[in-house]
Every structure is written in structure tokens, then in C-alpha cells.
Amino acid sequence: MRVAVVGATGAVGREMIRILEERSFPLDELVPLASSRSAGKALPFRGGEVRVQELGVAALATADLALVSAGASVSREFIPAAAESGTVCIDNSSAFRMEPDVPLAIPEINPESLEGGPRVIAVANCTTITAMMPVGPLHRAAGLRSLVLSSYQSVSGAGQKGIRELAEQIEKLHGTEEEMGHAEWSSMPSGEVFGKTIAYNVVAKIADFADGGFTGEELKMMAEPRKILGLPDLEVSATAVRVPVPVGHAISISATFERPISVDEAREVLSAAAGVELRDDPEAGVYPSPLESAGLDDVIVGRIRQVPGRPDTLLLFACGDNLRKGAALNAVQIAEHLFAG
């Protein structure tokens, strides 16, 4: 079995290769693909090295499976031809997520979407995945009616350049913390990735603003749950914020159900849910935080509360590794579902 990883030198691509090795995915040949700038680089795999090849139609079309994390424009350019030639393409970009004939899959939540042998499968947005891991089981238990989502997303969601921009600004501002209360905003560092200062700050803009004042990230968070859960009329509203955290996305969830559901029932449901780790003991100081989710396969969930006077509405706080379950791991799990039985 020949497996291609497209975008192999990026943060998600490298994580995909690590996970393929960790989980002993049944491949015979790994083919890392990237732009011409990265061709020839050596990447560690199974005790040896594999050389990065330049991405091209021929290289992709000869693979049985392609795990793709190179951006929407690259996906649109290469995936249709590869899928036509017989390659199963699992895509981490937004290129095909809302296409009606393309599954938007989280194996623990909607495995039925992978039936029928699809050639193109989309991986949901990393924040959507973090939200859906607890919301999906609760929906099966009590029937979801509406969602309000507020995300706190790490800088690695913008790639390695986002991590570098945060690190550079922290270094530049180190030692000036006491002066920030009266510093001139114009003197604060900013960069190309986040626009405003991200160090010691939060930025309420991820992707471009669109009609209605929502950002592109917020629109994804609103549209994708409807498709994943098979609820086209679900009411969803979202606010997406970038925070100065290197890895790990957090999301505050307000979920209203068709019937009353207690905190105890929610804890019972989530304790039994695949891919979810319940950390909800506030009196003992146990609750999720983004850095605690880094490196974990599971999404961690806690701070479960009932909205006063609303027995049908719960508040939750969930954190997930955006590079792992939010992207690379979910793609590999889809491949396992399709190929590893």
C-alpha cells in the first residue's frame, strides 16, 4: 500500500507522519510530497528517513491513499484528478467540506458518512472537531436544538509562522510587562499573520470578515456541525478568537436539547464517549485547559453546568490538540476506518 502525505514538511504533515508510525498504519511505502522548495528534504520514519518529493499529478495519482494538508488551493488543483485515477484523498483543507457529495467525517461521530467507498473525504475544521466530540454523543442522547460556540484558538492554527510570530513578540516585549498598562498601542509589535499584537493579547479575528460581520472561521464553525450531525436547520452562532497559546484549541459550548438533560447525565454520556476524556471535578481543581490537551488523542471536556432555569441547556468547556485530533489524527483515523478494518 502506497500512502502519500501532501504538505509533508508543514506542522500537520509532520504530525501525520508521526501518527502513521505511532499507530502502525499498514502501509508499504510512504511518499512525502511538498512544494519544490522542500523537495529533497529528509524526514524521519520507522527508524530511517524518507525523502520529500515535489508534488505533482503523477506522484499523487500513483498512491492508494493521500493524506492532504497543503491548503485549499492546492487541494482544488490536485485532488480531483488524483481521485479520478483511483486515489482515496483525505483532505484537511476547507476546499471540499461543504460539497454535498463529499463526506465531512469524524469517525467517532458520523462513521456512516464513510460508507459507499468515497474517493474524497474532508476533515472538519479543527475547532469544529473539538466541539463535535462532546456535542455528538450528547446529541445522540438528548437531541440537539441549538449551539452557541466561542473558541479560543492557539497560534499553531495559523501554522509554524503563527508560532514564530508569537515567540518573536514575546521576546520583544519581555521586561516591559509593567509598562503595558499605559503603553502606546502604535508602539506594540504586530505581524503579518495576526495583524494585531498577539503576545499578551487576544485577537477576535480568524480569517477575513465576511457578510454579516462574521469571520471565515466563524462561518465554518456555524456550517460544519449541521452537515456532520445531519441537522441542516440547526441554529448555530459562533465567535472565534486567537489566543497566545502555542498548541491546543479551547471552545466554550452552550448546547440546547430537545429534552431536559442534567449535568450528571451529561457526565455519564461523556464518560462513555469514544475519543473524549472527562475532566470535570472543579472542587479538586480538575478542568480542561488547552496545553493539557497537547499531544493527546482525546478531546478533554469539563466545566459542565446547567443554565439556571433552563433544564434543556448545558454549558461545557472542551480542549483539543488542533494539530492532532483537530487535523492529523482525525485524517489517519478516517484512513484506518477505510483501510485497516
Side-chain angles (χ1 to χ4, degrees):
M1 185 177 183
R2 196 167 191 259
V3 176
V5 174
V6 180
T9 57
V12 174
R14 289 174 185 269
E15 191 73 8
M16 283 176 171
I17 292 172
R18 280 192 289 268
I19 291 170
L20 288 169
E21 181 172 356
E22 285 173 13
R23 296 171 74 91
S24 300
F25 186 82
L27 62 87
D28 300 301
E29 183 183 1
L30 176 69
V31 184
L33 301 173
S35 69
S36 58
R37 296 189 305 275
S38 298
K41 286 185 178 178
L43 298 175
F45 185 66
R46 289 181 176 173
E49 291 183 339
V50 286
R51 294 282 173 182
V52 177
Q53 302 177 28
E54 183 175 353
L55 173 61
V57 173
L60 195 55
T62 55
D64 300 292
L65 167 68
L67 304 175
V68 185
S69 184
S73 60
V74 171
S75 293
R76 292 190 190 100
E77 181 178 356
F78 289 99
I79 282 179
E84 184 69 24
S85 73
T87 304
V88 174
C89 300
I90 301 174
D91 182 37
N92 268 281
S93 82
S94 61
F96 305 104
R97 286 177 185 155
M98 301 314 295
E99 294 293 327
D101 58 341
V102 174
L104 185 60
I106 304 173
E108 300 95 333
I109 305 301
N110 61 338
E112 68 281 356
S113 68
L114 298 172
E115 295 173 0
R119 293 270 180 81
V120 180
I121 303 101
V123 175
N125 175 275
C126 47
T127 314
T128 302
I129 291 174
T130 302
M132 290 299 97
M133 291 302 293
V135 167
L138 293 171
H139 164 60
R140 287 194 292 271
L144 187 66
R145 270 193 13 222
S146 67
L147 278 176
V148 179
L149 306 173
S150 300
S151 71
Y152 311 88
Q153 298 180 219
S154 67
V155 294
S156 58
Q160 292 172 327
K161 61 185 182 296
I163 297 173
R164 284 195 298 270
E165 188 164 291
L166 172 62
E168 289 166 1
Q169 291 182 10
I170 289 174
E171 185 176 359
K172 191 174 293 186
L173 291 170
H174 180 63
T176 68
E177 289 84 356
E178 293 184 5
E179 303 166 16
M180 286 185 189
H182 48 81
E184 287 288 335
W185 175 248
S186 60
S187 68
M188 300 288 282
S190 61
E192 294 181 1
V193 180
F194 303 117
K196 293 179 183 285
T197 304
I198 186 63
Y200 304 104
N201 197 23
V202 301
V203 178
K205 177 182 179 290
I206 302 178
D208 294 331
F209 288 109
D211 292 343
F214 291 98
T215 64
E217 184 77 359
E218 291 161 351
L219 293 174
K220 293 174 190 175
M221 291 165 59
M222 292 158 67
E224 292 178 17
R226 299 182 182 117
K227 183 173 181 178
I228 292 165
L229 299 175
L231 299 173
D233 298 322
L234 180 69
E235 293 181 15
V236 189
S237 57
T239 301
V241 178
R242 190 74 72 186
V243 296
V245 172
V247 178
H249 286 359
I251 186 159
S252 173
I253 302 165
S254 175
T256 299
F257 298 92
E258 293 174 354
R259 66 164 177 83
I261 178 169
S262 69
V263 170
D264 286 343
E265 182 184 354
R267 287 175 176 154
E268 184 177 343
V269 167
L270 295 174
S271 293
V276 172
E277 181 183 336
L278 186 65
R279 295 192 186 181
D280 192 33
D281 188 356
E283 291 183 3
V286 177
Y287 55 90
S289 69
L291 278 181
E292 292 174 78
S293 72
L296 298 183
D297 289 351
D298 292 347
V299 169
I300 55 177
V301 183
R303 296 293 320 280
I304 303 174
R305 292 148 287 154
Q306 196 111 47
V307 173
R310 292 295 305 269
D312 59 349
T313 303
L314 294 173
L315 301 175
L316 310 89
F317 194 70
C319 299
D321 185 327
N322 52 295
L323 301 179
R324 199 166 175 90
K325 181 55 184 172
L329 175 63
N330 197 74
V332 173
Q333 288 174 316
I334 291 170
E336 289 173 340
H337 188 93
L338 296 172
F339 290 94

